[in-house]
Structure formats: C-alpha cells, structure tokens
Amino acid sequence: MDARPRDPTFAIAFGGGGARGLAHIHIAETLDELGIRPVAIAGSSIGAIVGAGVAAGMSGREIREYTVETLGRPAEVAARVWRSRPSNIAGVFGGGVRIGQFDISRILRAFLPAALPERFEDLTIPLAVTATDFYGNEEIVFDSGELLPAVAASAAVPGIFRPVERGEQLLIDGGISNPVPFDLLMDKADIVIAIDVVGTPNPNREGRPGSIDLVLGAGQIMMQSITSLKLQRSRPHIMLRPPVSKFRILDFLKVKQVLEETAAIRDELKFAIEQAVERFNAEDLA
C-alpha cells in the first residue's frame, strides 16, 4: 500500500501586547496565503481581538484594510473615541473617579468591525479568550456566551482600562495570567502556532522611562517570565516573536510603521510551517 501523508491541522495562539499585537495581522495574512484555516484559535488581550476577527471569518487582508483605514487616520480615531464617551454624568463617575481608566467595552464597540458576531457560538472557528480574575487570582477562559464582554475583559489592561465586572468577579487583562495561551490548544490540532508580541522594555528612547513606562515595562518582564515557565512544561510546535519591542502598548496610531517593521515575520512563519509539516509527515509515516 502507498503511504501518503495527510494534511496536518493547525491551531494558533495570538498573544497579548497592546499595539505590538498589530503584527498579528501578518500572521493572519500568511495563513491565508498558505491556504491554512485554523481549526482552533486562542487569544489574550490584543490577541483576543485579532483572534475574534479571524474566528469570525475575516481574511487577513480584510483585517489589515479595516485596521489601517481606522487607526491610520487620527481624525477617525478621535471621532470614534468621542462617540464611545458615556452619554451622561453617571457613566463618567459610575465606578468612582479613576484617572486614566477608560471603559474598554465602549472603546471596543466604537472600533470593532461589524463582522464580529454577538456570541462565540456564531463564530466560524472555535475561539478561546483569556482574562484574569483579579480577586480570584486565576486565569478565566471564555469560549461560549457573549463575545464582546469576554474580549473586553481580556483586553482590560490595568491602569489604562477599567476592569470588567462579571457577577462577583473583577476581570482584567488576560495577558497578566496567560500572555500567549498556546496551552489551551495543545490537544486541538496537529501543529500549534504561538505568536508572542509582549516584547521587552526598550532602552532606545529619549530620557529615562516615566512612571507609566516603568509599570508597563515591569508587566512585560513579568509576562515574559510566565511564558518562559510555561515553555519549560510544554512547547508549541512553532513559537515566533516579531520585533515589536520598540513600540509602546498604546502606539496604535503607528499601525503602518508596526506593519512595515514586522513584515519579516511572514517569511519566518512560512519557513517554520514548512519545517513543522516535514516533521509531522515524518512522524506520521514512521
């Protein structure tokens, strides 16, 4: 009998990293170019947002065009932020006066594309989204129910966005507990791809880092430590880190620059997939 290799299945974990996660767009486009449709997706923070777009059936090109069209025009960003403001004074002070804490749910409603469905069950690819239970001190995984509240909780970066309340839970950024949630996919596909966009504190800036930069940089170090510990227990078949450290977490207006300076990740991914498929075929035929 002729032994012919079968096509492996793929799953992908999009990591958290704020605006650095705009590099995920290259990953989505490259998978489309290779004709690879993931059978499962997991995401944290910005990875949850991009992952939701892919899981909803948006192509990488559609995600790029929508993102550049929206974030590439400062006037459009300002208009959407203005439309996301509370409609009354109670909405401003409903959770008490908090400096620099925006309502992430309102922001997402203003910026997310209409292609995203209301519920996980309406996605075309299964999606798992991580958040962190602040008081419970544990990771929370969403894979059913309403989509927007889950994505909002996953992207609620402390100090920038307000936590998302769910019953007795106070939920914050999924990257705090699981920056690159590849572990949620290890039994879902033959080849698991993980994309880490956390980055590291970058010294190539003018002057000493300010208080916010120090806090966010400390968070980067913490999240890299978490990922390192996870990799000691298990490893995805492909782990890639685009060169994103020069960008800050809120550098969304630099979308074109982020995409330009991380474009090399496309060829890295193609090569890594080629190697992973070769290993899979060799093991499958052994």
Side-chain angles (χ1 to χ4, degrees):
M1 294 180 60
D2 292 333
R4 289 179 293 180
R6 64 180 177 86
D7 292 332
T9 57
F10 291 83
I12 182 160
F14 293 107
R20 295 182 286 268
L22 294 170
H24 288 318
I25 294 173
H26 289 303
I27 306 303
E29 289 182 309
T30 302
L31 293 178
D32 289 345
E33 183 180 340
L34 296 175
I36 294 174
R37 177 181 170 83
V39 297
I41 298 171
S44 287
S45 200
I46 183 68
I49 296 172
V50 176
V54 176
M58 294 182 69
S59 69
R61 180 177 179 178
E62 288 172 333
I63 295 174
R64 172 190 284 265
E65 290 178 348
Y66 180 87
T67 304
V68 172
E69 177 70 14
T70 303
L71 300 180
R73 297 186 297 161
E76 176 66 14
V77 173
R80 288 175 183 254
V81 170
W82 175 253
R83 290 197 296 270
S84 73
R85 74 193 188 283
S87 58
N88 54 54
I89 195 67
V92 176
F93 300 113
V97 179
R98 294 182 173 90
I99 302 301
Q101 290 196 3
F102 300 97
D103 187 329
I104 182 62
S105 296
R106 287 181 175 272
I107 294 292
L108 289 181
R109 286 192 186 96
F111 280 90
L112 289 181
L116 295 189
E118 293 186 0
R119 300 182 64 82
F120 279 87
E121 290 81 2
D122 297 324
L123 295 168
T124 62
I125 301 173
L127 172 69
V129 166
T130 68
T132 304
D133 184 344
F134 182 74
Y135 291 122
N137 189 30
E138 63 178 351
E139 175 187 359
I140 303 296
V141 178
F142 295 95
D143 57 11
S144 63
E146 291 185 273
L147 181 62
L148 178 61
V151 173
S154 185
V157 178
I160 299 175
F161 299 113
R162 296 179 186 174
V164 173
E165 297 183 19
R166 189 184 73 156
E168 298 298 319
Q169 293 177 318
L170 198 64
L171 302 176
I172 61 174
D173 185 14
I176 298 296
S177 55
N178 197 344
V180 193
F182 61 83
D183 51 307
L184 303 181
L185 302 173
M186 296 306 291
D187 61 345
K188 305 292 186 183
D190 298 314
I191 296 175
V192 174
I193 303 169
I195 309 299
D196 179 359
V197 292
V198 169
T200 58
N202 186 359
N204 297 321
R205 293 174 181 157
E206 295 181 4
R208 295 285 185 177
S211 298
I212 295 299
D213 284 331
L214 286 170
V215 170
L216 296 176
Q220 287 177 281
I221 295 171
M222 178 198 69
M223 288 187 279
Q224 290 290 10
S225 296
I226 292 172
T227 300
S228 295
L229 288 173
K230 285 177 54 183
L231 290 171
Q232 292 177 20
R233 295 195 299 267
S234 66
R235 300 187 68 88
H237 303 87
I238 297 172
M239 180 81 167
L240 297 179
R241 292 184 168 97
V244 293
S245 292
K246 70 176 291 183
F247 298 103
R248 288 183 168 94
I249 192 171
L250 293 179
D251 276 347
F252 288 101
L253 293 180
K254 296 182 179 180
V255 54
K256 294 180 181 179
Q257 185 180 351
V258 174
L259 290 173
E260 179 181 350
E261 298 194 18
T262 58
I265 200 66
R266 302 168 73 100
D267 287 335
E268 290 184 41
L269 179 58
K270 291 176 183 178
F271 179 76
I273 288 175
E274 180 182 352
Q275 297 297 305
V277 170
E278 288 181 2
R279 289 193 298 270
F280 170 79
N281 288 337
E283 294 171 358
D284 198 39
L285 296 175

